[in-house]
Amino acid sequence: MWLPQNVVALCLSCLVLSTHGRDRVSLRRSNDHTGRCQYTFTVDNPDEASFYKAEVTEIPASRLIQEAGQNHTDMSCYYHSAAVPPRLPLSIYILLVLVSVGEPVLHRKVDSVTGKYGVWLNKTVWRIDTVGKDVRQLFAHEDMEQFAKGFSMKVLVLPVPVESTGATLYRDSLYYQRRHRRNMHRYDLAFESLAGRLELPYAGFHGQHPYSWGVYTDIDLAVNEQCPWAIYSPSKAKGAIVASQLDPESLEVKRSWETNIRKNTVANIFVISGWVYTVASYTAPDTTVNHVFDTATGQGRGLAVPFKNHYRYNSMVDFNHAQRKLYAWVNFHMITYNVRLEAG
């Protein structure tokens, strides 16, 4: 498909600017006849890791689940279109695929027992220590320097308690699961109030279908560039991982995909564009990102992307699309990973 030169220049300029000059950038034209992407954008980071092979437990074939009366797949939620006018052809949108994960970078270690596992997010730097029976405190840090020193500029008390480490941030809202429930909540950080809630239909909760490390990680919320996601297993899936796109305002399920991977055989999951990735082990020092599910095709495949886990007991992994880094909470340690991404 031919594209005007000004369109190509616009895409390249926006993508180069988004790297802030930190990485080596290249763009090449491909001859992909499928129409998914005709240009390859590469951001290289120097960090590499060692190899570790692990297997996931598969169950019968994956399938696309659509709501009644809908006969098409909505692509709008995972095409990276932030720098591209929405009316341009779909073939120029860039789907970023994970190629490698760098060395872990330590930002802070928590000394108290409540910091063994939790969740942290970066815009203002938000943190929730999730050890406890009634987790409600959301700590806000002005920047990474203040975060590293342990200085919080304010502490918000959430109206209902948090379940485990599955919270995430999208735009100016915190999304999290309510303790002992399959309910998802949206907390508006600007107004410091509950802005929405919805029960995730038939989802396992409170230990029914957790990750392999346990601790009620049945519902894991994530984000890509344009919407929040829920990672869970409903009763009819019988332990298989289901990934659902959520409406950012109402939290209603827009689309869902059932994979063929059992949730309790993987340590964690993160989402990049329309790709759902699994981490093999939460304790092995040299583990891997060992499986990817492509929502465009409804198919999964095995991977062996090395993933360093120096501090053992990894309880949270999420991808930050603005910074293009993985955020993780590993046994009192809050760390990030640089990643190398290429167009899929």
Side-chain angles (χ1 to χ4, degrees):
M1 177 179 180
W2 178 84
L3 293 174
Q5 290 300 316
N6 61 337
V7 172
V8 176
L10 171 64
C11 294
L12 178 58
S13 298
C14 293
L15 289 168
V16 170
L17 286 173
S18 71
T19 66
H20 304 291
R22 293 172 297 186
D23 306 310
R24 182 171 62 83
V25 180
S26 62
L27 183 75
R28 65 178 178 85
R29 184 174 180 174
S30 71
N31 296 316
D32 186 358
H33 65 279
T34 66
R36 286 186 57 188
C37 179
Q38 292 189 328
Y39 288 85
T40 300
F41 170 66
T42 305
V43 180
D44 287 340
N45 285 302
D47 297 328
E48 297 294 340
S50 61
F51 177 80
Y52 173 87
K53 185 177 175 74
E55 301 294 335
V56 295
T57 301
E58 297 190 355
I59 58 181
S62 56
R63 62 184 181 275
L64 171 65
I65 308 171
Q66 295 183 333
E67 296 179 11
Q70 295 177 328
N71 298 313
H72 63 281
T73 302
D74 181 4
M75 299 294 187
S76 64
C77 240
Y78 63 82
Y79 277 110
H80 181 65
S81 57
V84 182
R87 293 185 182 276
L88 292 177
L90 286 179
S91 59
I92 73 167
Y93 291 130
I94 308 298
L95 289 171
L96 299 178
V97 183
L98 181 70
V99 175
S100 64
V101 178
E103 291 287 329
V105 178
L106 176 64
H107 296 276
R108 184 182 172 192
K109 180 182 179 182
V110 180
D111 296 324
S112 66
V113 67
T114 57
K116 181 174 177 60
Y117 48 84
V119 56
W120 72 298
L121 313 143
N122 192 358
K123 199 172 184 181
T124 300
V125 185
W126 299 94
R127 181 186 104 245
I128 305 174
D129 300 332
T130 59
V131 175
K133 294 183 179 180
D134 191 47
V135 176
R136 294 174 184 261
Q137 290 185 317
L138 176 62
F139 299 90
H141 306 268
E142 186 175 359
D143 51 36
M144 290 296 285
E145 181 180 356
Q146 297 301 306
F147 172 74
K149 294 177 180 178
F151 299 150
S152 56
M153 63 182 184
K154 64 178 177 180
V155 181
L156 303 181
V157 179
L158 300 172
V160 296
V162 177
E163 180 88 298
S164 197
T165 61
T168 194
L169 186 70
Y170 180 71
R171 294 177 180 166
D172 291 320
S173 291
L174 175 76
Y175 296 80
Y176 69 97
Q177 177 196 354
R178 180 175 179 173
R179 180 172 169 80
H180 287 181
R181 306 285 175 82
R182 56 170 63 95
N183 292 8
M184 299 177 296
H185 290 257
R186 180 170 74 87
Y187 184 82
D188 190 307
L189 296 170
F191 292 96
E192 299 182 6
S193 62
L194 193 64
R197 59 187 173 190
L198 190 73
E199 180 178 329
L200 190 58
Y202 309 108
F205 67 100
H206 206 63
Q208 293 176 329
H209 301 296
Y211 288 132
S212 58
W213 71 274
V215 196
Y216 311 132
T217 52
D218 304 73
I219 299 175
D220 188 8
L221 299 174
V223 295
N224 70 350
E225 298 91 333
Q226 296 186 19
C227 62
W229 291 65
I231 309 297
Y232 62 105
S233 182
S235 55
K236 64 179 180 180
K238 299 180 180 179
I241 294 168
V242 168
S244 295
Q245 297 171 345
L246 306 178
D247 183 275
E249 300 295 325
S250 68
L251 298 176
E252 291 182 356
V253 174
K254 297 171 64 178
R255 292 288 189 277
S256 291
W257 291 263
E258 182 180 329
T259 75
N260 61 347
I261 303 301
R262 291 192 182 277
K263 192 166 182 292
N264 63 6
T265 66
V266 300
N268 241 299
I269 288 176
F270 57 90
V271 177
I272 301 179
S273 294
W275 308 83
V276 180
Y277 294 90
T278 68
V279 179
S281 172
Y282 65 95
T283 56
D286 298 296
T287 185
T288 59
V289 178
N290 64 336
H291 194 270
V292 59
F293 182 84
D294 182 0
T295 57
T297 63
Q299 299 296 318
R301 59 185 174 87
L303 291 179
V305 176
F307 187 94
K308 291 286 189 179
N309 189 25
H310 291 333
Y311 305 106
R312 311 292 183 93
Y313 213 90
N314 192 323
S315 59
M316 169 238 164
V317 182
D318 275 319
F319 184 68
N320 184 304
H321 291 270
Q323 296 188 350
R324 302 195 183 191
K325 295 177 184 288
L326 285 172
Y327 276 57
W329 192 305
V330 191
N331 200 19
F332 300 100
H333 299 79
M334 279 149 275
I335 61 179
T336 59
Y337 297 85
N338 290 325
V339 299
R340 180 184 172 192
L341 303 172
E342 290 183 356

